[in-house]
Amino acid sequence: MGYYDLDDILADSAEIPCKFLHDIPGLGYLENNPGGTIHVNTQLKLPLWLARVLAIIDASSASDDVGNADIFNTEQQFTPFLNMLTPETFTNKVINAIKTDPISLDLHSINPYFYALAIKWIELFSDKDLAEIVSDLLLQRSQVINAHANSTTISYNNNSNSTSSTGNNNTTNNNHALFTLTLDEFEKKIYKEANDSYKDIKKWIYQY
Amino acid sequence: MYGDLANKLIIEAKRTEQLTQKYLDAALNSDNGGIRNDFNGNETIIPMYNDELIYNILKEVNQLKQNTEYLQHIKQEEEETKDQLKDVLSGHSNDKIRKCQYFVNLLCLERNKRCLMAYQRMRSDIIDKMVWNGLIGSNNMYNNGSKRSGYNELSHYEQEYMSQYKNLIDEMNSESELWSSIEIMGNMNPPSDIFIDIRVLKDIGEIQTEYGTFNFVKDSQFYVRQSDVERLIQQGYVQKI
Amino acid sequence: MSLDIDDILAELDRDTTVVDNISSDNFPNANNNRHKLTKDYSLSPNSSLDTTTVPQHNNSSSGKKKVISSIEDFSKLMTLWKNERCSPDLLPYPHLLMKRMLIRIQEQMEHLEILSMNFFEAQGNNSSDNRRNMSNAPVNNNKMLPLLCMEAELERVKFVIRSYLRCRLAKIDKYSIYLRQINEQYLNEEINEENDDDADDDDKENPSSLRISPLEKLLSPEEIRYHQSHFSLLLNLLNESVLKYMPDELQAVNDTEASINMIDEPDYNKFVFIKVKGPPNNLYDTDPLLKKRTHPDIYYYSITIPETKEDIDLIIGSIYIVRYSLIKNLLLDEKIELL
């Protein structure tokens, strides 16, 4: 994914609802209550880059002094600082919508970084079901994307610097533009690359 | 909330990346081999270095650093006054709290660092591309006006970086036989036609080629060998028709 | 030291370059031109890069020396170019090949200059000013045609090498920290080995001064210099604008302990299209990895996908799409090429 990858950074900023498992004073500013305490079982929306680490680290192995006998901790289980709950992006409502009609689904409005987020989520929770659903979704949508990318036409002038579709039909252009609005960022990349390569092929075929 | 400013910065960076990508795509797809010819001098490829936002983010970083120091200070105090046997439980929960606070602080710092680094890296990539495309340089037509394309939009360190990088490339170009024989800064499109029609955009004067001497007056057209005029196309003095 | 040896080897290669004697029966005008224009140089329109300045060498006298024709070199260059553009990783630099190509290009440029100077001396008396050259008598075209072809071919070769080098430079820029990490690991290993006082006899035979660092194998000396200078410039920029404001533990640019690894590694899991060529020089018998099915006679390589524990047979002459990590070794052995 890359440390410097802008898409990765933006995907990490997605907000996930979290449930705190401990009382933590001093972190009140996370819920717009500066100086206050966050109590147990508070639900809060935190960005992924923050929630991920806090959900992974074990809060119980806090003591650095090995000398202390842990008589109270003999049966301590792994307890992180908070639990991540399913975000809106992956609720059952969305999953049902995906299953019913993957193609005309407006993925951009659900989350502009749907696929990136899905990959991160699947990695964290080893969620095989979600993985299957999302890969099926991508498979179906990419066929439609391919069809859209292929159907643009170019003018016969070799020197045209067209970077968008230059179809003679205005409604075709509008269709394409509207369609791209429903794509998430990853799909937009795929669409652009497919479109560019189809244009290149046509340019090469018609160059003489 | 910590990290929000950094987020704004990255959104702006993403927009810049998309714009630059469009610009470079257009440049590459044109037949000029990497430079856009309808550049009217008012557009700049790289937006202003966002001094204000960066300054605010760095202020936030400073705040976080102070938080860290405060936390360390408290931890030291607690360790000194800790009663080992009696306060085991509260000691644990205190440790937990300190740990959580420490991590939240650290994560915010890391996030800010990552956003700033990504922003700077993206801009330096654009600067690199500008240097390779010949948009900087003394004999480039677009620099004859008062506005050098994008130079004024850079921060001080970026300007230094740009001139140092250009020097590096120039040095290596002159020292390496391989690089200069193949004209490593030349056209990145495959050579298509041997002879091409060109139109002269600016008065250059007389050019001597193997096929004779041409008088390159503004708005005249010639049918010349591509490899001869490639340098001129790149610098923007002539345009391929 | 090693660079001088490379130079000498390259000189040897050049001296034993084969001249492809293509019959110029199809180009009667060219033949006439040859006799008129050229004095010491041979002109063969089809494979114009086959000039040699030492015409008395031929295959029989060079005996068992390996002769690398420029056609072979060129096709090797094209394969390398395609591979480099398609692979996510930086492939090893072909030191000797590049030296040979450079020498050939320079010779060809000189050759063309001399040819065209001769040509224009001949034409100089009746040259016009701004008239289109093509509107002159067609006879001029026929005489110029071989010259044009040679020039066009030279431009093409220059373009391929240019594209190849720029592609490599772009990858070097992208993975500069990763390359530095490889180098540092290698240097640390060396230091550890030197510190072992009970060195074996083996180590004494290979003193560290003769061992080639992985970076030297991967990159040309110019690329190494470019990498180091560019990286220090970039590091300077990042330090001044971002890193010096960070707390001490976050000031590194190669920090792997934080939540995200700062070093960008090449994506070895990227899918690539491959075509299976088979062992280089058709040495079917001596390739240990090559397997054979007897009924019918099919040669193939076998690779295993670790995730699904599948075995795949890569049959020679077929095209597959696989993850880069699985075929990297075969690619470096030149048994497959990327598309």
Side-chain angles (χ1 to χ4, degrees), chain A residues 7 11 21 25 58 68 86 140 159:
Chain A
D7 283 323
L21 298 178
D58 192 1
N68 269 345
T86 318
Q140 298 201 22
N159 292 333

Side-chain angles (χ1 to χ4, degrees), chain A residues 2-10 12-13 20 22-27 29-30 32 46-47 49-50 52-54 57-65 68-70 72-73 76 81 113 158-163 185 189 192 196 200 203 208, chain B residues 1-4 7 10-11 13-14 17-18 21-22 25-26 29-31 36 38 64 67 75 79 82 84-85 88-89 92-93 95-101 103-105 107-111 113-115 117-119 121-122 192-193 240-241:
Chain A
Y3 183 80
Y4 297 97
D5 183 15
L6 295 176
D7 283 323
D8 199 34
I9 297 178
L10 284 170
D12 260 352
S13 68
F20 274 82
H22 303 278
D23 267 346
I24 317 275
L27 289 186
Y29 60 83
L30 291 177
N32 289 329
L46 292 180
W49 52 267
L50 189 55
R52 175 172 48 209
V53 180
L54 292 179
I57 322 173
D58 192 1
S60 58
S61 61
S63 175
D64 288 335
D65 301 335
N68 269 345
D70 267 353
F72 295 105
N73 287 350
Q76 197 75 325
F81 286 109
Y113 289 96
N158 274 345
N159 292 333
S160 71
N161 283 344
S162 50
T163 53
E185 295 298 315
K189 262 196 221 164
K192 180 171 185 306
D196 284 346
D200 281 342
K203 202 167 144 191
Y208 298 117
Chain B
M1 169 63 190
Y2 295 123
D4 284 343
N7 229 32
I10 294 297
I11 292 180
K14 179 84 184 149
E17 192 188 60
Q18 284 170 337
Q21 197 54 45
K22 247 190 183 178
D25 275 347
N29 283 336
S30 78
D31 295 318
R36 224 174 125 176
D38 49 356
L64 288 167
N67 286 356
K75 185 171 177 195
E79 301 224 324
K82 198 153 80 169
Q84 293 206 355
L85 282 174
V88 160
L89 257 181
H92 274 307
S93 66
D95 278 345
K96 257 189 249 169
I97 294 173
R98 296 294 157 234
K99 196 173 177 188
C100 187
Q101 289 170 336
F103 265 107
V104 170
N105 219 25
L107 288 169
C108 293
L109 274 169
E110 277 181 10
R111 174 74 180 179
K113 174 187 175 186
R114 185 179 182 197
C115 293
M117 295 284 276
Y119 179 73
R121 189 79 190 259
M122 184 214 65
S192 49
D193 306 312
K240 180 173 170 176
I241 302 174

